[in-house]
């Protein structure tokens, strides 16, 4: 998206929309796949019931407003993934040491990170036979030959 904006910069500078486009780019924080939203927001007056238009994307550059994609995969969008990882770290850190309305006394409690496979999944060790569907490697008795 940024190369498109840079190529169109002289035109946007001439028509006065460059500042608004740049503000949208900064708001998306470098998102590589921003979502383009178009439309309007109407607000009803509580007393009279009259509808007033409080926002219309038609007044934005290109008639859209950009919002970050929010993808967690770094291969898709590095900036949104980085933001998500930072938020996750803050939540986990606060849960282990306190902060964010969590008392500091939690730091004295043991912390465990447990992953559990539900029994409904059945045996999870499997192999493929002649490129066919997944088959159980061995019955439950004994050890797997692998």
């Amino acid at each position: 998206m940024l190369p498109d904006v840079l190529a169109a910069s002289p035109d946007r500078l001439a028509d006065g929309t460059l500042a608004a486009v740049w503000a949208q780019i900064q708001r998306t924080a470098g998102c590589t796949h921003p979502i383009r939203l178009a439309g309007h927001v109407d607000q009803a007056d509580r007393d009279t019931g009259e509808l007033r238009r409080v926002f219309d994307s038609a007044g934005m550059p290109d008639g859209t407003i950009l919002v970050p994609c929010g993808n967690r995969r770094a291969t898709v969008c590095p900036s949104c993934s980085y933001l998500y990882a930072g938020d996750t770290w803050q939540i986990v850190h606060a849960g282990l040491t306190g902060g964010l309305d969590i008392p500091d006394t939690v730091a004295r409690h043991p912390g465990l990170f447990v992953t559990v496979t539900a029994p409904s999944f059945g045996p999870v060790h499997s192999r493929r036979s002649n490129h066919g569907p997944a088959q159980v490697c061995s019955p439950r008795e004994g050890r797997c030959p692998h």
Side-chain angles (χ1 to χ4, degrees), residues 2-143:
L2 190 56
D4 298 338
V5 172
L6 292 176
S9 295
D11 296 336
R12 293 197 183 274
L13 189 57
D15 66 9
T17 60
L18 183 62
V21 170
W22 187 247
Q24 285 200 47
I25 291 171
Q26 288 179 315
R27 188 175 51 252
T28 60
C31 177
T32 55
H33 299 288
I35 300 168
R36 296 175 182 270
L37 299 176
H40 61 271
V41 177
D42 291 336
Q43 187 177 45
D45 188 317
R46 290 182 188 231
D47 298 330
T48 65
E50 176 188 2
L51 285 179
R52 284 177 285 175
R53 182 139 304 159
V54 292
F55 176 78
D56 193 351
S57 66
M60 302 296 288
D62 302 329
T64 60
I65 186 167
L66 303 177
V67 295
C69 67
N71 200 308
R72 293 184 255 172
R73 294 180 294 170
T75 56
V76 175
C77 184
S79 65
C80 288
S81 171
Y82 181 77
L83 179 66
Y84 177 80
D87 289 347
T88 303
W89 186 90
Q90 290 292 338
I91 291 168
V92 171
H93 186 264
L96 293 174
T97 61
L100 298 177
D101 296 330
I102 297 174
D104 294 338
T105 56
V106 299
R108 289 181 262 161
H109 301 281
L112 300 172
F113 184 76
V114 179
T115 58
V116 181
T117 302
S120 63
F121 292 139
V124 292
H125 190 130
S126 65
R127 66 176 172 85
R128 299 220 180 257
S129 176
N130 297 328
H131 304 290
Q135 298 175 347
V136 175
C137 186
S138 63
R140 290 209 181 253
E141 69 268 354
R143 228 183 117 102

